[in-house]
Amino acid sequence: MNKNFFLNVELGARSYPILIGSGLLREAGLLDPYVNGRDVLIVTNDQLVPLYLQAAEQLTSKSRVQTLVLPEGESAKTLDTLNLIFDALVEHRYGRDCVLIALGGGVIGDITGFAAASWQRGVDFIQIPTTLLAQVDSSVGGKTAVNHPGGKNLIGAFHQPLCVVSDMDTLHSLPERELGAGLAEVIKYGLLGDAEFFGWLEQEYAGLLQQDKERLQHVVRRSCELKAQIVAADEREHGRRALLNLGHTFGHAIERCAGYGEWLHGEAVAAGMCMAAAFSERIGWLDAASVERTRALVSAFGLPVAPPQVSPTDFLAAMSLDKKVIAGQIRLVLLRGIGRAEVTADYAEHELVQFLSEQFVS
Ligand code: NAD
Ligand code: GLY
């Protein structure tokens, strides 16, 4: 039986709840305790309007509610699009007491969060994530951003939401490929910090692919619990939070080398995690059986286990653009075991160069 669930991200005065369940968007007035009659701007995109906008508008019963529909997709995650939010706030004369609501996937969540972080030096916002990726990752933890032509998420701020509402029912309309991209981030949580959860995913992958609601809810709940613990311990990524980037240094290089938009972020992270596991084995951290389990689970979810064939030199150059690079040294999240990840620069550069040259021999 599906039961709605509630967990808290513990950040002192900025703590907030994550509501996870079915039918949440049908609960008229659900957000009243958070909004308290203040002016609301719902930010969404053209694909989501016919699906969930009407429901979202009913979640506050005592507020003036306006809606802004942005263009869809990663290519719209720009300063120009951000400006459309500010234009709407000016047009509707919304002040410091307004509340923004992000209704959509990670793109809408990140851009709306950044608008909330900067409008009149910071206003409240609420996340209603509608993709699996956004429910398990981007809606939690307060990272907000837009892209710059020079790179992804280069302009942003930490700004925590007032609450997160994850309604499992929104996943019904999600294209299969987008569901897979979210499952990659789910595998990440098992690999980086919860071997038991990883084992559960190995057992239950078939039900997840069939979108079994109870299993999906378990996945969202466990992923949010793991992320909430890490964020509570290291909100601004001075240390442990970097573990959440497992597979991302390789993955971002895949996205860049393949051409942005060719691979979904989650697909690139999936192949990136396989590369991180294989490189962990190469430097003597991880056993071959764990590398194989990683590949098998990624593959079971229909996700890619290897990068596209590109030049290893270009790939290394793309890896060196990573935000975790310090003093020219690429820090990687590598594995000591399933469920045991560490951030490290403790490897010889020639080992990485050799490893990459082998990955890209066709
Ligand atoms: P997305 O927001 O582009 O959504 C994917 C597609 O699904 C879009 O076309 C969207 O319109 C559509 N969609 C959304 N919900 C739907 C639904 N319920 N039914 C049908 N279609 C639906 O992509 P995403 O994967 O959700 O998010 C990716 C973004 O998240 C990237 O920009 C990435 O940088 C960011 N991100 C941020 C964090 C963070 O911590 N802030 C973490 C991970 C990723
Ligand atoms: N998705 C990485 C983070 O939130 O830190």
Side-chain angles (χ1 to χ4, degrees):
M1 192 182 58
N2 265 301
K3 275 222 179 91
N4 291 349
F5 182 78
F6 158 98
L7 74 94
N8 218 35
V9 183
E10 301 290 350
L11 286 168
R14 285 170 295 104
S15 299
Y16 55 93
I18 306 172
L19 282 57
I20 302 168
S22 221
L24 292 171
L25 294 192
R26 290 199 302 272
E27 288 189 29
L30 178 78
L31 295 178
D32 282 343
Y34 305 98
V35 173
N36 284 321
R38 290 178 287 166
D39 289 340
V40 165
L41 180 70
I42 299 177
V43 182
T44 189
N45 76 25
D46 37 13
Q47 293 186 341
L48 293 158
V49 167
L51 295 169
Y52 306 114
L53 180 59
Q54 207 180 354
E57 284 170 345
Q58 310 301 315
L59 296 177
T60 53
S61 63
K62 301 174 198 132
S63 298
R64 180 163 69 115
V65 179
Q66 302 286 350
T67 298
L68 176 66
V69 181
L70 298 179
E72 178 279 332
E74 186 71 32
S75 58
K77 199 175 156 185
T78 62
L79 282 172
D80 284 346
T81 312
L82 179 72
N83 232 353
L84 298 176
I85 304 182
F86 298 138
D87 290 347
L89 291 165
V90 170
E91 181 192 337
H92 300 306
R93 298 176 184 275
Y94 274 15
R96 293 188 92 167
D97 60 345
C98 71
V99 181
L100 307 193
I101 295 182
L103 173 68
V107 168
I108 289 291
D110 277 14
I111 196 167
T112 308
F114 187 41
S118 37
W119 176 247
Q120 305 210 8
R121 301 195 182 85
V123 297
D124 286 337
F125 86 114
I126 290 170
Q127 292 267 19
I128 306 182
T130 60
T131 62
L132 183 61
L133 184 138
Q135 292 185 352
V136 299
D137 193 353
S138 63
S139 64
V140 175
K143 278 190 182 175
T144 73
V146 295
N147 300 331
H148 182 275
K152 272 192 67 162
N153 297 330
L154 290 184
I155 311 161
F158 286 96
H159 190 57
Q160 302 293 343
L162 269 188
C163 72
V164 180
V165 178
S166 283
D167 189 330
M168 295 297 103
D169 298 344
T170 61
L171 301 180
H172 291 320
S173 53
L174 197 63
E176 211 172 291
R177 193 173 167 203
E178 298 290 349
L179 188 82
L183 287 168
E185 301 284 359
V186 171
I187 296 173
K188 178 187 82 177
Y189 290 110
L191 264 183
L192 75 85
D194 188 344
E196 197 179 313
F197 183 47
F198 188 93
W200 184 88
L201 291 170
E202 289 177 315
Q203 299 292 319
E204 304 293 341
Y205 72 89
L208 285 165
L209 286 172
Q210 283 157 16
Q211 304 213 21
D212 176 79
K213 213 188 270 184
E214 212 168 313
R215 289 181 177 83
L216 276 176
Q217 182 162 328
H218 177 68
V219 149
V220 174
R221 171 181 172 164
R222 188 64 194 133
S223 302
C224 287
E225 281 169 352
L226 288 160
K227 181 155 186 182
Q229 280 166 14
I230 290 175
V231 168
D234 179 24
E235 183 185 8
R236 300 245 163 180
E237 199 169 309
H238 296 305
R240 201 174 152 209
R241 185 164 180 170
L243 294 179
L244 294 171
N245 291 316
L246 174 63
H248 284 59
T249 307
F250 293 106
H252 284 150
I254 292 173
E255 283 182 271
R256 192 176 177 90
C257 291
Y260 286 113
E262 289 299 311
W263 285 52
L264 293 182
H265 174 70
E267 293 168 341
V269 167
M273 288 188 296
C274 294
M275 292 180 82
F279 188 59
S280 304
E281 182 190 13
R282 171 63 57 90
I283 64 167
W285 279 25
L286 190 65
D287 58 278
S290 299
V291 179
E292 192 38 48
R293 279 179 73 191
T294 304
R295 283 208 188 99
L297 186 55
V298 165
S299 180
F301 281 132
L303 290 161
V305 295
Q309 289 299 302
V310 297
S311 133
T313 315
D314 290 352
F315 197 87
L316 186 62
M319 283 180 75
S320 64
L321 294 172
D322 191 83
K323 291 196 203 73
K324 288 187 299 305
V325 171
I326 294 182
Q329 207 172 16
I330 302 173
R331 291 185 308 143
L332 293 170
V333 184
L334 297 179
L335 294 166
R336 297 254 184 212
I338 302 278
R340 284 194 302 136
E342 283 178 27
V343 185
T344 185
D346 192 13
Y347 61 87
E349 195 182 337
H350 71 83
E351 283 176 312
L352 181 60
V353 171
Q354 175 65 27
F355 172 77
L356 292 179
S357 70
E358 292 163 19
Q359 296 286 310
F360 297 105
V361 171
S362 51

